Amino acid sequence: SKGDFEHYMLKEIYEQPELIRSLTQYYFQGEGKESLEEATKLPMKAVNISACGTAFYAGLVIKDYIESKNRVRCFADIASEFRYRNPILDKEELAMFISQSGETADTLAAQSMCKEKGLKSLSIVNTEGSTLYRDCDVNLMIRAGVEIGVASTKAFTQQVLTGKTLSEVLAHGGIDDELRNTLASRYSLLAERVEQLLDNTKPIKDVADAIYKHKGFFYTGRGAYFPIAMEGALKLKEIAYVHAEGYASGELKHGPIALIDEEKVNVALVGEELFEKTVSNIQEIKARKGLIVSIGPKNRYELKEVSDHYIELDFEGLGDLAPLYVNVVNQLLAYYIAKNLGTDIDKPRNLAKSVTVE
Ligand code: M6R
């Protein structure tokens, strides 16, 4: 049941801190340990990720982790493209599939193609016993519980953290108490920050009230914030029915900037990395009269100067988990905009929770 929440989506957003905290126990001391161990033994000359929608964006963040932390080449594809493009695959490589339902038709087809070509497959999946779960060699469960809202929220967070856990175990060379402690404290710090955000959503609600009538949204970010930008835009399109796009911060000037005027909103996701460069990209939008909503590290004068609305976050100590924190802001922003617009948040028009047709 929804309990005190008006929508399942909101309830599921609020479940995230507890879910984030539960993951290390499951993988280091619980049932998940065995599958995590098996996953580290799979061939991994390269990793081929395929997934759809939100799960694909989670895949892009995981690609970032695996490439930067493990220095293993990683490809991420939309499953409906991957399966038809005759990809170059090798038995020494891993096929990785990400899915909440485990029933997405294109993801399943991508898996059976990889299997035919002799690759081992690993899933990052929520639904035990699903087709994907049954077909893969090893399954890493994301342990998000049932997700009812069509818009995927908690599943994304758990998918990324599950991929992150695998990447950390590979880099560390095994599963032990030292790594468990490190990850448990890093994940709890993330959970704590998300909790603080959820305890006071007024700043996000205020921004939603100020911008919900606008017609076009550009979410921008660099590095891991680029997939987070695409995920934020998807959430808004899906539940609020307004046009939104996710773009790499440096790419707007190669075309889309022609669209910028006072009616457009730039939701700028700003990390600590390449901070100045990202701020100067925001300035380019500002100069064309775009409305700036920045989400980034707190107390930054340069960001305050350039923004119409500045959602200040405490990034201290979060490192490469900070994009997940920003993503929760995006979830709430989309939720409150949709609420103001009066759309059917849990069951948006034209959509199904699980896409079992190709
Ligand atoms: O069940 P899956 O994770 O395989 O589903 C993939 C997409 O259909 C799904 O993430 C979709 O994009 C969501 N509705 C986005 O919120």
Side-chain angles (χ1 to χ4, degrees):
S1 95
K2 285 182 286 193
D4 292 337
F5 294 96
E6 195 178 342
H7 296 97
Y8 281 107
M9 182 185 177
L10 193 63
K11 175 176 179 262
E12 289 160 1
I13 290 172
Y14 272 79
E15 283 169 18
Q16 291 175 112
E18 200 187 318
L19 293 172
I20 294 168
R21 284 198 184 95
S22 71
L23 218 55
T24 42
Q25 148 71 26
Y26 175 74
Y27 277 117
F28 285 80
Q29 292 155 303
E31 277 170 75
K33 193 172 170 185
E34 204 181 307
S35 45
L36 185 56
E37 231 149 43
E38 278 175 51
T40 64
K41 293 183 191 126
L42 293 167
M44 227 174 275
K45 199 176 98 192
V47 178
N48 301 280
I49 301 177
S50 42
C52 301
T54 287
F56 169 65
Y57 298 139
L60 290 175
V61 181
I62 293 171
K63 166 187 157 78
D64 215 70
Y65 287 143
I66 295 179
E67 293 206 326
S68 57
K69 190 103 201 166
N70 311 104
R71 305 308 291 164
V72 171
R73 189 172 293 251
C74 193
F75 303 90
D77 275 90
I78 293 167
S80 60
E81 288 296 315
F82 182 72
R83 58 179 293 202
Y84 294 118
R85 73 170 171 78
N86 193 14
I88 300 165
L89 297 168
D90 181 313
K91 290 189 182 69
E92 294 303 302
E93 300 172 359
L94 178 66
M96 184 191 283
F97 305 93
I98 308 173
S99 177
Q100 188 286 126
S101 62
E103 300 297 349
T104 299
D106 284 312
T107 307
L108 295 177
Q111 191 276 336
S112 58
M113 180 185 77
C114 289
K115 190 174 176 182
E116 239 162 68
K117 293 190 189 260
L119 277 80
K120 291 274 185 230
S121 42
L122 171 72
S123 81
I124 293 185
V125 69
N126 196 31
T127 313
E128 195 165 354
S130 59
T131 310
L132 186 66
Y133 177 95
R134 284 183 271 119
D135 291 351
C136 284
D137 297 291
V138 181
N139 297 292
L140 295 179
M141 305 302 296
I142 66 166
R143 309 271 296 167
V146 182
E147 192 179 62
I148 291 171
V150 164
S152 187
T153 53
K154 59 177 181 172
F156 176 87
T157 301
Q158 296 300 98
Q159 284 160 352
V160 171
L161 280 180
T162 302
K164 166 86 182 152
T165 306
L166 173 64
S167 158
E168 290 287 339
V169 168
L170 288 168
H172 188 72
I175 304 175
D176 61 21
D177 287 350
E178 187 197 344
L179 183 63
R180 187 202 64 210
N181 293 336
T182 311
L183 290 186
S185 79
R186 292 200 58 202
Y187 294 2
S188 352
L189 189 68
L190 173 66
E192 221 171 86
R193 296 288 158 78
V194 172
E195 236 154 32
Q196 283 163 13
L197 200 67
L198 298 175
D199 281 348
N200 176 23
T201 56
K202 189 170 182 301
I204 302 171
K205 233 185 256 165
D206 289 347
V207 174
D209 291 347
I211 66 173
Y212 77 98
K213 287 185 179 147
H214 283 257
K215 295 273 178 280
F217 291 76
F218 286 89
Y219 285 70
T220 53
R222 286 176 179 269
Y225 293 96
F226 174 33
I228 299 294
M230 291 191 279
E231 167 59 9
L234 174 62
K235 226 76 309 170
L236 188 66
K237 286 186 258 228
E238 178 174 35
I239 63 167
Y241 318 152
V242 294
H243 188 82
E245 293 193 56
Y247 254 92
S249 304
E251 188 65 11
L252 244 58
K253 60 166 88 62
H254 297 284
I257 204 164
L259 285 165
I260 301 297
D261 59 22
E262 59 284 346
E263 308 225 304
K264 308 297 185 303
V265 179
N266 175 210
V267 181
L269 315 180
V270 188
E272 291 286 8
E273 314 76 30
L274 298 167
F275 180 85
E276 276 81 23
K277 277 240 152 59
T278 313
V279 171
S280 89
N281 295 135
I282 301 175
Q283 266 148 0
E284 294 159 2
I285 313 298
K286 186 80 203 149
R288 275 80 182 181
K289 301 199 166 56
L291 189 93
I292 310 294
V293 175
S294 64
I295 306 173
K298 66 177 185 184
N299 298 327
R300 301 298 276 268
Y301 172 78
E302 309 91 310
L303 221 43
K304 200 178 167 71
E305 274 293 275
V306 76
S307 306
D308 297 282
H309 304 276
Y310 171 24
I311 300 176
E312 302 190 45
L313 300 176
D314 181 4
F315 281 0
E316 186 70 44
L318 287 179
D320 60 5
L321 296 177
L324 283 173
Y325 180 30
V326 168
N327 189 58
V328 179
V329 178
N330 284 343
Q331 293 172 349
L332 289 164
L333 190 62
Y335 176 81
Y336 291 122
I337 291 175
K339 205 165 126 58
N340 285 346
L341 293 170
T343 54
D344 191 352
I345 292 179
D346 281 336
K347 280 189 192 311
R349 67 186 182 199
N350 312 338
L351 289 171
K353 180 65 182 161
S354 125
V355 183
T356 54
V357 292
E358 304 184 352

